[in-house]
């Protein structure tokens, strides 16, 4: 086996939601494997940039709000202008809104669905067109969730959007695999991020969650990095349309 099968030297990865949490962990992991990073986010990404450059990789920030499709051209053109090419797209950006079913608003539903699945699909479409036009063996990695498999509590839009992420990952893979473009997903378990802050701050819910995780702990953003490197590298060239659960054993319980 080629011992450099996970090497990403010379590759450029676009990672959305790069300012913190899972996105930041993925940026650092891909950088450690040799990739240049185009970080996309709506807030300051200085901390991520510092961590990426600390491992000897280049970091190019692109400010964009993924709530609207207006961001698409800015992301693609910004990445190409800064780094000269795109090889990997990681659709990580996502939001969550919590409320009882009876109180859930149209605005919250639309914001979650627009960010988590609408923009994900159409940004993937733009990346795929670029890969096809330039004969690039591209990699698209979509960040799903445990709620791609389960219903959750008080998060109907998030559950709907993340179920859709898993489905559209399969759909895109079916069309793009014949063109040497891999589309796969990662379903993080319960990870220490801003999205789970409310759960971790609730002693009862946190204890219930930890009791079901065989690993016995909340995951860290860095725990997602290995799966991202695998799916971005030549090691996954025959992996298409799958979603890898990185969950400490949650789904196996």
């Amino acid at each position: 086996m080629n011992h450099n099968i996970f090497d990403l030297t010379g590759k450029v990865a676009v990672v959305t939601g790069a300012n913190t949490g899972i996105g930041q962990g993925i940026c650092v992991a891909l950088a450690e494997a040799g990739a240049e990073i185009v970080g996309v986010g709506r807030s300051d990404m200085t901390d991520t940039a510092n961590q990426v450059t600390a491992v000897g990789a280049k970091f190019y920030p692109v400010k964009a709000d993924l709530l609207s499709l207006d961001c698409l051209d800015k992301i693609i053109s910004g990445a190409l202008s800064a780094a000269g090419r795109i090889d990997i797209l990681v659709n990580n950006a996502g939001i969550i809104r919590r409320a009882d079913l009876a109180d859930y608003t149209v605005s919250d539903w639309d914001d979650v669905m627009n960010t988590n699945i609408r923009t994900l699909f159409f940004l993937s479409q733009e990346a795929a067109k670029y890969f096809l036009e330039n004969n690039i063996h591209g990699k698209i990695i979509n960040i799903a969730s445990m709620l791609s498999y389960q219903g959750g509590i008080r998060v109907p839009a998030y559950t709907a959007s993340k179920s859709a992420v898993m489905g559209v990952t399969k759909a895109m893979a079916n069309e793009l695999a014949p063109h040497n473009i891999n589309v796969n997903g990662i379903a993080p378990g319960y990870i220490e991020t801003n999205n789970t802050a409310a759960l971790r701050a609730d002693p009862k819910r946190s204890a219930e969650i930890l009791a079901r995780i065989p690993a016995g702990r909340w995951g860290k953003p860095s725990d997602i990095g290995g799966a991202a490197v695998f799916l971005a590298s030549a090691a996954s060239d025959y992996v298409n349309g799958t979603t890898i659960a990185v969950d400490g054993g949650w789904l196996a319980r």
Side-chain angles (χ1 to χ4, degrees):
M1 177 180 287
N2 179 1
H3 292 295
N4 294 319
I5 199 168
F6 297 100
D7 185 18
L8 298 177
T9 301
K11 304 293 186 180
V12 175
V14 175
V15 182
T16 68
N19 60 301
T20 188
I22 290 172
Q24 184 177 85
I26 289 173
C27 284
V28 174
L30 296 179
E32 288 174 335
E36 297 181 20
I37 307 297
V38 177
V40 180
R42 61 184 179 183
S43 56
D44 184 72
M45 291 176 278
T46 301
D47 186 40
T48 303
N50 290 340
Q51 292 188 44
V52 167
T53 56
V55 301
K58 294 180 179 178
F59 183 87
Y60 310 100
V62 174
K63 265 289 190 64
D65 187 346
L66 280 77
L67 186 63
S68 164
L69 295 182
D70 293 342
C71 69
L72 300 184
D73 182 65
K74 184 176 184 180
I75 294 170
I76 299 297
S77 62
L80 293 176
S81 175
R85 62 182 289 129
I86 301 170
D87 300 278
I88 303 153
L89 170 64
V90 182
N91 287 302
N92 164 73
I95 62 173
I96 192 166
R97 302 278 172 80
R98 300 179 187 279
D100 291 340
L101 184 70
D103 300 324
Y104 216 86
T105 67
V106 172
S107 175
D108 280 347
W109 178 274
D110 287 347
D111 286 352
V112 172
M113 296 298 286
N114 286 343
T115 303
N116 293 9
I117 186 61
R118 186 169 183 254
T119 297
L120 177 149
F121 174 77
F122 286 104
L123 182 55
S124 298
Q125 182 187 68
E126 291 302 309
K129 287 192 288 188
Y130 168 78
F131 294 152
L132 291 167
E133 291 166 2
N134 293 276
N135 195 30
I136 290 175
H137 182 179
K139 304 276 187 166
I140 298 175
I141 304 169
N142 298 321
I143 303 303
S145 168
M146 290 296 95
L147 298 188
S148 300
Y149 304 91
Q150 300 169 323
I153 300 170
R154 304 182 72 246
V155 286
Y158 188 81
T159 300
S161 69
K162 291 301 185 176
S163 296
V165 167
M166 183 181 287
V168 83
T169 295
K170 297 174 184 177
M172 288 193 290
N174 287 339
E175 290 197 46
L176 295 176
H179 301 284
N180 211 26
I181 299 169
N182 297 82
V183 186
N184 292 290
I186 300 172
Y190 285 87
I191 310 295
E192 295 176 355
T193 67
N194 294 339
N195 278 355
T196 62
L199 292 176
R200 287 181 286 116
D202 182 332
K204 182 175 183 294
R205 286 289 291 126
S206 183
E208 289 171 348
I209 289 167
L210 287 172
R212 179 174 164 166
I213 300 173
R217 65 173 176 87
W218 287 79
K220 300 181 183 301
S222 58
D223 289 321
I224 309 301
V229 171
F230 168 63
L231 292 178
S233 72
S236 64
D237 281 353
Y238 197 58
V239 180
N240 300 88
T242 195
T243 296
I244 300 173
V246 182
D247 64 353
W250 172 273
L251 290 176
R253 192 59 175 258

